[in-house]
Every structure is written in C-alpha cells, then in structure tokens.
Amino acid sequence: MPAPPHPHRDPIVHHDDRTGRAVIVAPRRGERPHGADLAAAHGGQGPASWCPFCAGNEDRTPPDVLRAPAAPAPWRARIIPNRYPFAEPAPAPLADGVASRPAHGVHEVVIESPRHDTSILSIDAATWSDGWQLVRRRLADLARRGDLAWGTVFKNSGPRAGASLDHAHSQLVAIDFLPPALQAEFAAAALRADPFADLLAEAHAAGRVVREAHGLVAIVPPVPRQPCETWIVPTSRQPQFHATGADTADALAHLTQDLVGRLARLLPGVDYNWWLHDAAWRADAAATAVVADRWHWHLEILPRASELAGFELATGCHVNSLPAVEAAARLRDA
Ligand SMILES: [Zn+2]
Ligand SMILES: [Zn+2]
C-alpha cells in the first residue's frame, strides 16, 4: 500500500514572482547521510563496509530502476530511486499556475561504478560509457510519459560541488515545470534562427574550441562563469540527448573523461559540477515550441575553482579571473 502523503515532508516547489526564483523545500534532504559520518560510524573501516553505492551493498538502496548489464551478470552501472528526493510523484492533483505546489517528478541516482571510484578518471571506459547509456535510456522513458516538462542529469563531484557521498554517481531529475535558467536560455535561443550554429562558429573564430570528436565539440563558452568552464555541444541539430544514438552517448562518455582529465591537470583537485540542458519535453509554451527544432542538447561543465560569494549571490553577476580565450588555450595544451 502506498504511504499516505505527508504535506509537511513532501517536496514543494515555490515560484517567487518578486525575484523570478524557484525554490524547492524538501525537508527530507536534510536527513541524507554524508560519507565522512558513515565512515566514522564504521570505525574507519573501508568503504565496502559502509558505502551504499559499492557492489555488495545493494540491500542498502532501493531496487534498480535500470542496470547494465542485465542480471544475473554483475552490474557495472545502475540507476536507483533517490532515498532523499526533491521531486517525486505528487500525492495530490496538481494545480497549474499556483505559486506553491508539490514538486511532482522523479529524482534518481546513477551509480557509475561497482567499485568505490571517487573520480570518473579511475573508471574504465566501458563502465563509464554504460552509465551514459543508462541515462539516455532512462531520460527517454521519462520524456515519453507526458506528465514531465523537462529533465536532466547532473553531477556534483567533490564537497565544494555539493557531493555528500564520494562514490562516483550522478543524479537524474525530471520535473513538471521549466526552471528559470532554462526559460532564459530558451527565450534567448528564440531570437536567433540557428543559435547553436552561431555559438560554434563564434567559438571557432575566437579560438575557444578545446576539442572536437565524433560530432561533438567542447568549447569554452563566450561568457564563462568560472576559470575553465566548458560546454560540450553536438555539431548537428539534436534537441534531446535521449533521442540520440548509443554512439553519441559513447562519444559523450569519452569527451567528459577527456575534459575532466584536462581540468585535473590544470587545476589539481578541483571540484566540479556538470548538467545536461535538453530542450523542453513538452512544447506547452510558445518560446519552447519555437526553440525545440533549433535546440542542441549540451552539457555544461563548471569547475568550482572559486566559491559563489556575496557579489555573485547579491547580483547574479559572476567574477571570473581567467579570460575565455586564455582558458581554451590552457585546456587545449593540458
Ligand atoms: Zn562505494
Ligand atoms: Zn545551457
């Protein structure tokens, strides 16, 4: 029997029309364990004794949503429901247009290695690619459902990037509204006939291309927020990552390891985030419909070399000490 709804415990999304911000209040997020606490509770034993993501500890997580390869072979990557979700199936009917309502959606964890790898650079290429193939399949499943407006996969690598467990993993989220950052990107894209062709042509002309491989280009964006921010963009029109082929996911796996390797050589020990920007899954807003056919999914990789400080939080302006063209030159040489 499903658990009864807990109105004060379930995630609620609040849209603030005074600031344009959206905030999800999710009290259960505060209960999630931190790796350092789990290790301390096990008297300093190795991760196999306490890490819920290590192979052998599957009974400490909810059952798989997807896994690779299929049972009974030992898994190399798997997707599980997040025990501490900030989006989950809403217990009550949704009221569209209301400022505060249940954060309806899906929040899952992609475990990217059966071993306690704490960097994606120590995961072998085949296992690393398996994780991306699972993400592609899962996002495709969720996009088909029809009740979700947009979805993403994102990674928090390291404590400065928000990771609470250091076993390599990403999070997969699908929600029923378009977040403000995406609304802004879609609105800007609607002003150009071919926004991503422009983006890539300008990157080539300015010397901001880092690498090109198998139909994907890694660039330093025109206005990076942090030293060595990079975006991975397909050269051809592909609105949704999940609608591309297995070969594209494989190419993305290869390029993410390549770029994180460059970052690690340039900024040793740097934490980073990345996230996928798909086109909207539901063309229910005019701007969304316009951009859907001219969008290129892209992965934005943001090293966390400096903290978001008072000025950034006060103004939304970022202060970056490394000019974009110089960052691209350093990344190419790294
Ligand atoms: Zn582990
Ligand atoms: Zn974007």
Side-chain angles (χ1 to χ4, degrees), residues 181-182 185 196 225 231 275-277 295 298 300:
L182 271 298
E185 281 195 27
F196 288 87
R225 288 158 280 195
W231 294 357
W275 50 81
L276 173 70
H277 274 173
W295 194 255
H298 53 278
E300 303 185 3

Side-chain angles (χ1 to χ4, degrees), residues 54-82:
C54 279
N57 294 341
E58 291 82 1
D59 59 339
R60 300 181 200 185
T61 68
D64 302 333
V65 176
L66 279 180
R67 56 170 280 171
W75 61 272
R76 292 197 299 251
R78 63 191 197 114
I79 297 181
I80 57 169
N82 194 312

Side-chain angles (χ1 to χ4, degrees), residues 47 51 53-54 115-116 167:
C51 175
F53 296 166
C54 279
R115 303 186 315 177
H116 197 75
H167 186 129

